[in-house]
Amino acid sequence: MRDAPLRKILAGLVATGLLLAGPAVAAEREEVGLRVVTEYLDDEHLRQQGIFVRWRPDNARRLRWEVAFGTLHEGSVDRLFLSGGPVWRFAPGQSRESARFVIDLGINPTLLAGAKFSRIDLGGFMQFTSFVSAGARFGRERAFRVAVRVQHISNGSLNSTNPGTDQLGLEFSHRFCCAPAAGETRYSMRPSRIAARPRKACTGSVTSQVG
C-alpha cells in the first residue's frame, strides 16, 4: 500500500520524540516557544514554522535539551517535521541569572514526513538541523526571549540527493515555573538591583524563572 511508508515514517517520528523527551525527566526549568524561519539564499522559499520545548538538566550551566515539532512548507506541499537534541546557551560577559543577551547553538537530528516538495527534494526523511541564534531577554525576571535564528538543514550526504537549505527567521519563547532544586534561590529583577529570596514550588499560576 502507498500509505505504508507514510505510516512507518510517522511511527518513527513519534518514537523518536519519546526518546528525545527522555532527558526531561531529570531536568528543571521549562521553556516553550514559537519559531518561523524561511529560506534566504535560494528561490525555493522553503519555510519552517513550529513550536519547541526546552529543558535544562540538573546542575547544567549551558546545556539544554530541545524537542521541536511543526511543518515545512514550499509551494503547495506541507511536511511534518520532528527534531530534537542538545542546545548550548552562552551569555558572554554576563551572569547567568541576569543575562539580557544570549546566544544558542546546536545541531539536532530532524525527521521529515516526506522530503519532496513542489520544487525541491531534500533527499530523505532523515535530516540534520544546525543552528545559531542571538536573542534578547526582557520582561519580569527576563522571562521572555526574542531571537534571530540562522539554520541549515541537510541530510549530511546520507543520500545522493542533498541540496540542503539555509534559513533565517525569528523565535519567541517564555519560561514557565517549576519546582526548585534543593537550596536554589529565585532572583527578582529590579531596575537597580537583583534581590535574592527563597523560591517556592508553583501552585498553578505561571511565574517566570531565570535559566
Side-chain angles (χ1 to χ4, degrees):
M1 295 177 59
R2 297 180 63 181
D3 292 338
L6 179 58
R7 287 199 297 268
K8 291 180 180 179
I9 291 172
L10 292 177
L13 290 174
V14 174
T16 303
L18 294 175
L19 290 173
L20 292 172
V25 174
E28 37 183 338
R29 293 173 179 80
E30 182 180 19
E31 182 180 8
V32 177
L34 302 173
R35 178 180 301 143
V36 178
V37 295
T38 188
E39 192 146 24
Y40 66 93
L41 291 180
D42 298 315
D43 297 328
E44 286 84 4
H45 302 297
L46 186 67
R47 186 176 73 248
Q48 182 191 82
Q49 52 271 315
I51 61 175
F52 62 90
V53 182
R54 288 179 179 175
W55 297 268
R56 196 179 86 184
D58 293 337
N59 303 317
R61 290 175 58 85
R62 296 189 174 92
L63 176 65
R64 272 81 171 158
W65 290 100
E66 175 184 290
V67 173
F69 173 81
T71 63
L72 281 168
H73 171 83
E74 189 272 315
S76 60
V77 179
D78 290 280
R79 302 293 191 188
L80 295 175
F81 80 87
L82 176 69
S83 69
V87 178
W88 287 271
R89 172 163 292 178
F90 299 88
Q94 306 164 85
S95 66
R96 177 166 60 89
E97 292 81 6
S98 60
R100 182 180 294 274
F101 300 103
V102 294
I103 298 172
D104 295 343
L105 57 89
I107 180 167
N108 295 340
T110 302
L111 295 178
L112 307 180
K116 293 184 178 181
F117 296 83
S118 295
R119 292 178 294 175
I120 185 174
D121 181 356
L122 293 179
F125 70 89
M126 182 66 193
Q127 304 282 322
F128 299 93
T129 302
S130 54
F131 64 89
V132 60
S133 69
R137 304 197 306 185
F138 60 95
R140 183 181 177 184
E141 299 184 351
R142 305 290 193 261
F144 298 94
R145 180 179 64 93
V146 61
V148 175
R149 177 182 172 102
V150 178
Q151 69 180 33
H152 173 78
I153 301 176
S154 68
N155 61 49
S157 297
L158 294 177
N159 296 277
S160 56
T161 300
N162 183 31
T165 175
D166 296 294
Q167 297 177 313
L168 173 68
L170 296 174
E171 56 184 22
F172 177 80
S173 64
H174 182 269
R175 284 192 305 276
F176 292 91
C177 65
C178 63
E184 191 175 4
T185 300
R186 180 182 178 183
Y187 289 84
S188 176
M189 303 305 302
R190 306 293 183 186
S192 59
R193 65 189 177 89
I194 300 177
R197 63 182 185 276
R199 289 178 54 194
K200 297 180 180 180
C202 295
T203 57
S205 62
V206 176
T207 61
S208 304
Q209 293 185 24
V210 173

